[in-house]
mmCIF file of all heavy atoms in Angstrom:
data_model
loop_
_atom_site.group_PDB
_atom_site.id
_atom_site.type_symbol
_atom_site.label_atom_id
_atom_site.label_comp_id
_atom_site.label_asym_id
_atom_site.label_seq_id
_atom_site.Cartn_x
_atom_site.Cartn_y
_atom_site.Cartn_z
ATOM 1 N N LEU T 1 -8.531 -7.509 0.618
ATOM 2 C CA LEU T 1 -8.970 -6.122 0.754
ATOM 3 C C LEU T 1 -10.370 -6.041 0.145
ATOM 4 O O LEU T 1 -10.525 -6.011 -1.073
ATOM 5 C CB LEU T 1 -8.001 -5.181 0.032
ATOM 6 C CG LEU T 1 -6.530 -5.306 0.453
ATOM 7 C CD1 LEU T 1 -5.647 -4.443 -0.432
ATOM 8 C CD2 LEU T 1 -6.351 -4.963 1.921
ATOM 9 N N ALA T 2 -11.372 -6.042 0.989
ATOM 10 C CA ALA T 2 -12.756 -6.140 0.538
ATOM 11 C C ALA T 2 -13.219 -4.912 -0.236
ATOM 12 O O ALA T 2 -14.067 -5.015 -1.119
ATOM 13 C CB ALA T 2 -13.677 -6.377 1.734
ATOM 14 N N ASP T 3 -12.648 -3.735 0.110
ATOM 15 C CA ASP T 3 -13.109 -2.498 -0.525
ATOM 16 C C ASP T 3 -12.032 -1.426 -0.412
ATOM 17 O O ASP T 3 -10.936 -1.675 0.111
ATOM 18 C CB ASP T 3 -14.420 -2.035 0.116
ATOM 19 C CG ASP T 3 -14.325 -1.932 1.636
ATOM 20 O OD1 ASP T 3 -13.207 -1.749 2.177
ATOM 21 O OD2 ASP T 3 -15.381 -2.025 2.298
ATOM 22 N N ALA T 4 -12.359 -0.213 -0.879
ATOM 23 C CA ALA T 4 -11.399 0.891 -0.854
ATOM 24 C C ALA T 4 -10.989 1.228 0.578
ATOM 25 O O ALA T 4 -9.826 1.582 0.829
ATOM 26 C CB ALA T 4 -11.976 2.112 -1.552
ATOM 27 N N ALA T 5 -11.913 1.104 1.522
ATOM 28 C CA ALA T 5 -11.585 1.397 2.919
ATOM 29 C C ALA T 5 -10.522 0.431 3.444
ATOM 30 O O ALA T 5 -9.635 0.831 4.206
ATOM 31 C CB ALA T 5 -12.838 1.334 3.786
ATOM 32 N N ALA T 6 -10.577 -0.826 3.037
ATOM 33 C CA ALA T 6 -9.572 -1.809 3.458
ATOM 34 C C ALA T 6 -8.212 -1.484 2.843
ATOM 35 O O ALA T 6 -7.176 -1.655 3.487
ATOM 36 C CB ALA T 6 -10.011 -3.219 3.073
ATOM 37 N N THR T 7 -8.214 -0.992 1.606
ATOM 38 C CA THR T 7 -6.966 -0.581 0.957
ATOM 39 C C THR T 7 -6.387 0.631 1.677
ATOM 40 O O THR T 7 -5.185 0.698 1.932
ATOM 41 C CB THR T 7 -7.201 -0.272 -0.534
ATOM 42 O OG1 THR T 7 -7.754 -1.446 -1.154
ATOM 43 C CG2 THR T 7 -5.915 0.109 -1.233
ATOM 44 N N ASP T 8 -7.237 1.592 2.035
ATOM 45 C CA ASP T 8 -6.788 2.762 2.793
ATOM 46 C C ASP T 8 -6.204 2.344 4.137
ATOM 47 O O ASP T 8 -5.183 2.867 4.580
ATOM 48 C CB ASP T 8 -7.938 3.740 3.018
ATOM 49 C CG ASP T 8 -8.328 4.495 1.760
ATOM 50 O OD1 ASP T 8 -7.580 4.447 0.757
ATOM 51 O OD2 ASP T 8 -9.389 5.150 1.783
ATOM 52 N N ASP T 9 -6.862 1.389 4.796
ATOM 53 C CA ASP T 9 -6.382 0.901 6.085
ATOM 54 C C ASP T 9 -4.994 0.273 5.951
ATOM 55 O O ASP T 9 -4.116 0.519 6.779
ATOM 56 C CB ASP T 9 -7.374 -0.118 6.670
ATOM 57 C CG ASP T 9 -6.914 -0.627 8.022
ATOM 58 O OD1 ASP T 9 -6.772 0.185 8.957
ATOM 59 O OD2 ASP T 9 -6.667 -1.849 8.137
ATOM 60 N N LEU T 10 -4.783 -0.499 4.905
ATOM 61 C CA LEU T 10 -3.466 -1.095 4.679
ATOM 62 C C LEU T 10 -2.425 0.005 4.468
ATOM 63 O O LEU T 10 -1.328 -0.056 5.027
ATOM 64 C CB LEU T 10 -3.486 -2.057 3.493
ATOM 65 C CG LEU T 10 -2.130 -2.660 3.105
ATOM 66 C CD1 LEU T 10 -1.497 -3.416 4.274
ATOM 67 C CD2 LEU T 10 -2.290 -3.558 1.881
ATOM 68 N N GLY T 11 -2.752 1.016 3.682
ATOM 69 C CA GLY T 11 -1.832 2.131 3.477
ATOM 70 C C GLY T 11 -1.478 2.823 4.785
ATOM 71 O O GLY T 11 -0.312 3.145 5.037
ATOM 72 N N GLN T 12 -2.460 3.017 5.649
ATOM 73 C CA GLN T 12 -2.221 3.646 6.951
ATOM 74 C C GLN T 12 -1.330 2.777 7.832
ATOM 75 O O GLN T 12 -0.426 3.282 8.506
ATOM 76 C CB GLN T 12 -3.552 3.925 7.647
ATOM 77 C CG GLN T 12 -4.355 5.018 6.966
ATOM 78 C CD GLN T 12 -5.768 5.122 7.496
ATOM 79 O OE1 GLN T 12 -6.117 4.552 8.528
ATOM 80 N NE2 GLN T 12 -6.612 5.837 6.777
ATOM 81 N N ARG T 13 -1.583 1.485 7.820
ATOM 82 C CA ARG T 13 -0.770 0.574 8.634
ATOM 83 C C ARG T 13 0.671 0.519 8.119
ATOM 84 O O ARG T 13 1.623 0.484 8.899
ATOM 85 C CB ARG T 13 -1.409 -0.817 8.651
ATOM 86 C CG ARG T 13 -2.713 -0.820 9.435
ATOM 87 C CD ARG T 13 -3.480 -2.123 9.343
ATOM 88 N NE ARG T 13 -2.670 -3.269 9.676
ATOM 89 C CZ ARG T 13 -2.792 -4.456 9.098
ATOM 90 N NH1 ARG T 13 -3.687 -4.644 8.145
ATOM 91 N NH2 ARG T 13 -2.032 -5.454 9.464
ATOM 92 N N LEU T 14 0.838 0.507 6.801
ATOM 93 C CA LEU T 14 2.184 0.527 6.227
ATOM 94 C C LEU T 14 2.914 1.800 6.625
ATOM 95 O O LEU T 14 4.090 1.773 6.992
ATOM 96 C CB LEU T 14 2.128 0.406 4.703
ATOM 97 C CG LEU T 14 1.787 -0.975 4.152
ATOM 98 C CD1 LEU T 14 1.397 -0.880 2.682
ATOM 99 C CD2 LEU T 14 2.954 -1.929 4.345
ATOM 100 N N ALA T 15 2.220 2.934 6.567
ATOM 101 C CA ALA T 15 2.823 4.214 6.932
ATOM 102 C C ALA T 15 3.227 4.240 8.408
ATOM 103 O O ALA T 15 4.299 4.744 8.754
ATOM 104 C CB ALA T 15 1.856 5.352 6.625
ATOM 105 N N ALA T 16 2.382 3.700 9.252
ATOM 106 C CA ALA T 16 2.640 3.730 10.694
ATOM 107 C C ALA T 16 3.877 2.938 11.097
ATOM 108 O O ALA T 16 4.496 3.231 12.119
ATOM 109 C CB ALA T 16 1.419 3.199 11.446
ATOM 110 N N HIS T 17 4.247 1.956 10.298
ATOM 111 C CA HIS T 17 5.351 1.066 10.668
ATOM 112 C C HIS T 17 6.537 1.121 9.714
ATOM 113 O O HIS T 17 7.461 0.324 9.843
ATOM 114 C CB HIS T 17 4.836 -0.378 10.743
ATOM 115 C CG HIS T 17 3.773 -0.562 11.773
ATOM 116 N ND1 HIS T 17 4.024 -0.503 13.121
ATOM 117 C CD2 HIS T 17 2.434 -0.756 11.654
ATOM 118 C CE1 HIS T 17 2.902 -0.675 13.791
ATOM 119 N NE2 HIS T 17 1.923 -0.823 12.925
ATOM 120 N N ARG T 18 6.546 2.049 8.773
ATOM 121 C CA ARG T 18 7.594 2.053 7.755
ATOM 122 C C ARG T 18 8.947 2.376 8.358
ATOM 123 O O ARG T 18 9.063 3.146 9.313
ATOM 124 C CB ARG T 18 7.262 3.031 6.638
ATOM 125 C CG ARG T 18 7.592 4.459 6.995
ATOM 126 C CD ARG T 18 7.443 5.364 5.806
ATOM 127 N NE ARG T 18 7.568 6.736 6.238
ATOM 128 C CZ ARG T 18 8.646 7.477 6.014
ATOM 129 N NH1 ARG T 18 9.651 6.993 5.347
ATOM 130 N NH2 ARG T 18 8.696 8.719 6.444
ATOM 131 N N PRO T 19 9.984 1.783 7.790
ATOM 132 C CA PRO T 19 11.341 2.123 8.229
ATOM 133 C C PRO T 19 11.709 3.519 7.741
ATOM 134 O O PRO T 19 11.039 4.098 6.876
ATOM 135 C CB PRO T 19 12.210 1.054 7.556
ATOM 136 C CG PRO T 19 11.371 0.420 6.523
ATOM 137 C CD PRO T 19 9.941 0.718 6.820
ATOM 138 N N ALA T 20 12.788 4.074 8.274
ATOM 139 C CA ALA T 20 13.215 5.423 7.907
ATOM 140 C C ALA T 20 13.513 5.544 6.416
ATOM 141 O O ALA T 20 13.256 6.567 5.799
ATOM 142 C CB ALA T 20 14.438 5.821 8.728
ATOM 143 N N GLN T 21 14.055 4.493 5.835
ATOM 144 C CA GLN T 21 14.391 4.454 4.402
ATOM 145 C C GLN T 21 13.777 3.187 3.840
ATOM 146 O O GLN T 21 14.018 2.103 4.369
ATOM 147 C CB GLN T 21 15.916 4.422 4.247
ATOM 148 C CG GLN T 21 16.434 4.775 2.890
ATOM 149 C CD GLN T 21 16.432 6.280 2.632
ATOM 150 O OE1 GLN T 21 16.453 7.076 3.547
ATOM 151 N NE2 GLN T 21 16.373 6.645 1.379
ATOM 152 N N ALA T 22 12.974 3.306 2.772
ATOM 153 C CA ALA T 22 12.330 2.103 2.236
ATOM 154 C C ALA T 22 12.042 2.231 0.750
ATOM 155 O O ALA T 22 11.719 3.308 0.255
ATOM 156 C CB ALA T 22 11.021 1.830 2.982
ATOM 157 N N VAL T 23 12.149 1.084 0.075
ATOM 158 C CA VAL T 23 11.780 0.970 -1.333
ATOM 159 C C VAL T 23 10.681 -0.085 -1.415
ATOM 160 O O VAL T 23 10.852 -1.204 -0.926
ATOM 161 C CB VAL T 23 12.989 0.554 -2.207
ATOM 162 C CG1 VAL T 23 12.558 0.339 -3.656
ATOM 163 C CG2 VAL T 23 14.103 1.584 -2.108
ATOM 164 N N VAL T 24 9.548 0.294 -2.034
ATOM 165 C CA VAL T 24 8.409 -0.603 -2.177
ATOM 166 C C VAL T 24 8.117 -0.771 -3.660
ATOM 167 O O VAL T 24 7.930 0.215 -4.373
ATOM 168 C CB VAL T 24 7.152 -0.053 -1.466
ATOM 169 C CG1 VAL T 24 5.966 -0.993 -1.657
ATOM 170 C CG2 VAL T 24 7.430 0.189 0.012
ATOM 171 N N HIS T 25 8.098 -2.009 -4.118
ATOM 172 C CA HIS T 25 7.717 -2.316 -5.493
ATOM 173 C C HIS T 25 6.275 -2.803 -5.476
ATOM 174 O O HIS T 25 5.948 -3.746 -4.747
ATOM 175 C CB HIS T 25 8.635 -3.382 -6.094
ATOM 176 C CG HIS T 25 9.989 -2.885 -6.420
ATOM 177 N ND1 HIS T 25 10.927 -3.679 -7.054
ATOM 178 C CD2 HIS T 25 10.589 -1.672 -6.242
ATOM 179 C CE1 HIS T 25 12.038 -2.979 -7.231
ATOM 180 N NE2 HIS T 25 11.856 -1.768 -6.736
ATOM 181 N N LEU T 26 5.428 -2.141 -6.274
ATOM 182 C CA LEU T 26 4.008 -2.467 -6.352
ATOM 183 C C LEU T 26 3.736 -3.197 -7.662
ATOM 184 O O LEU T 26 3.940 -2.641 -8.743
ATOM 185 C CB LEU T 26 3.178 -1.181 -6.281
ATOM 186 C CG LEU T 26 3.347 -0.383 -4.986
ATOM 187 C CD1 LEU T 26 2.898 1.046 -5.170
ATOM 188 C CD2 LEU T 26 2.585 -1.051 -3.868
ATOM 189 N N HIS T 27 3.288 -4.430 -7.554
ATOM 190 C CA HIS T 27 3.020 -5.278 -8.716
ATOM 191 C C HIS T 27 1.522 -5.515 -8.852
ATOM 192 O O HIS T 27 0.815 -5.602 -7.851
ATOM 193 C CB HIS T 27 3.719 -6.634 -8.559
ATOM 194 C CG HIS T 27 5.204 -6.553 -8.529
ATOM 195 N ND1 HIS T 27 5.972 -6.607 -9.663
ATOM 196 C CD2 HIS T 27 6.066 -6.420 -7.485
ATOM 197 C CE1 HIS T 27 7.253 -6.513 -9.331
ATOM 198 N NE2 HIS T 27 7.333 -6.397 -8.016
ATOM 199 N N GLY T 28 1.074 -5.667 -10.078
ATOM 200 C CA GLY T 28 -0.325 -6.005 -10.326
ATOM 201 C C GLY T 28 -0.762 -5.489 -11.678
ATOM 202 O O GLY T 28 -0.156 -4.574 -12.236
ATOM 203 N N ASP T 29 -1.824 -6.083 -12.194
ATOM 204 C CA ASP T 29 -2.373 -5.664 -13.475
ATOM 205 C C ASP T 29 -2.968 -4.265 -13.367
ATOM 206 O O ASP T 29 -3.151 -3.735 -12.264
ATOM 207 C CB ASP T 29 -3.461 -6.641 -13.921
ATOM 208 C CG ASP T 29 -2.906 -8.009 -14.277
ATOM 209 O OD1 ASP T 29 -1.711 -8.099 -14.639
ATOM 210 O OD2 ASP T 29 -3.671 -9.000 -14.186
ATOM 211 N N LEU T 30 -3.313 -3.686 -14.518
ATOM 212 C CA LEU T 30 -4.021 -2.409 -14.533
ATOM 213 C C LEU T 30 -5.300 -2.543 -13.716
ATOM 214 O O LEU T 30 -6.024 -3.532 -13.831
ATOM 215 C CB LEU T 30 -4.377 -2.008 -15.970
ATOM 216 C CG LEU T 30 -3.216 -1.565 -16.852
ATOM 217 C CD1 LEU T 30 -3.672 -1.422 -18.298
ATOM 218 C CD2 LEU T 30 -2.619 -0.267 -16.351
ATOM 219 N N GLY T 31 -5.564 -1.580 -12.850
ATOM 220 C CA GLY T 31 -6.767 -1.602 -12.034
ATOM 221 C C GLY T 31 -6.683 -2.451 -10.784
ATOM 222 O O GLY T 31 -7.677 -2.601 -10.070
ATOM 223 N N ALA T 32 -5.512 -2.987 -10.481
ATOM 224 C CA ALA T 32 -5.369 -3.866 -9.308
ATOM 225 C C ALA T 32 -5.300 -3.096 -7.994
ATOM 226 O O ALA T 32 -5.417 -3.690 -6.929
ATOM 227 C CB ALA T 32 -4.130 -4.753 -9.449
ATOM 228 N N GLY T 33 -5.090 -1.776 -8.055
ATOM 229 C CA GLY T 33 -5.076 -0.984 -6.828
ATOM 230 C C GLY T 33 -3.724 -0.435 -6.418
ATOM 231 O O GLY T 33 -3.571 0.051 -5.297
ATOM 232 N N LYS T 34 -2.747 -0.479 -7.300
ATOM 233 C CA LYS T 34 -1.401 0.008 -6.963
ATOM 234 C C LYS T 34 -1.412 1.497 -6.603
ATOM 235 O O LYS T 34 -0.895 1.886 -5.565
ATOM 236 C CB LYS T 34 -0.436 -0.248 -8.124
ATOM 237 C CG LYS T 34 -0.250 -1.721 -8.477
ATOM 238 C CD LYS T 34 0.670 -1.933 -9.665
ATOM 239 C CE LYS T 34 0.204 -1.310 -10.947
ATOM 240 N NZ LYS T 34 -1.033 -1.889 -11.507
ATOM 241 N N SER T 35 -2.023 2.306 -7.450
ATOM 242 C CA SER T 35 -2.074 3.753 -7.197
ATOM 243 C C SER T 35 -2.935 4.071 -5.978
ATOM 244 O O SER T 35 -2.610 4.969 -5.206
ATOM 245 C CB SER T 35 -2.607 4.504 -8.415
ATOM 246 O OG SER T 35 -1.691 4.441 -9.478
ATOM 247 N N THR T 36 -4.020 3.346 -5.808
ATOM 248 C CA THR T 36 -4.897 3.559 -4.652
ATOM 249 C C THR T 36 -4.136 3.311 -3.356
ATOM 250 O O THR T 36 -4.218 4.101 -2.412
ATOM 251 C CB THR T 36 -6.130 2.635 -4.735
ATOM 252 O OG1 THR T 36 -6.823 2.914 -5.948
ATOM 253 C CG2 THR T 36 -7.054 2.817 -3.557
ATOM 254 N N LEU T 37 -3.374 2.230 -3.313
ATOM 255 C CA LEU T 37 -2.595 1.922 -2.120
ATOM 256 C C LEU T 37 -1.493 2.965 -1.904
ATOM 257 O O LEU T 37 -1.277 3.430 -0.779
ATOM 258 C CB LEU T 37 -1.984 0.522 -2.218
ATOM 259 C CG LEU T 37 -1.147 0.074 -1.027
ATOM 260 C CD1 LEU T 37 -1.958 0.111 0.269
ATOM 261 C CD2 LEU T 37 -0.576 -1.307 -1.262
ATOM 262 N N ALA T 38 -0.813 3.369 -2.977
ATOM 263 C CA ALA T 38 0.236 4.384 -2.855
ATOM 264 C C ALA T 38 -0.342 5.691 -2.316
ATOM 265 O O ALA T 38 0.244 6.321 -1.433
ATOM 266 C CB ALA T 38 0.916 4.604 -4.203
#
């Protein structure tokens, strides 16, 4: 993910294909982009 726009794009793609019921665990250090992706 080169920049914030790439992170936004991933979020959009995840939303477009998500199952009706889903649990996503977001892992990473502080500042890794977990909240940005959410």
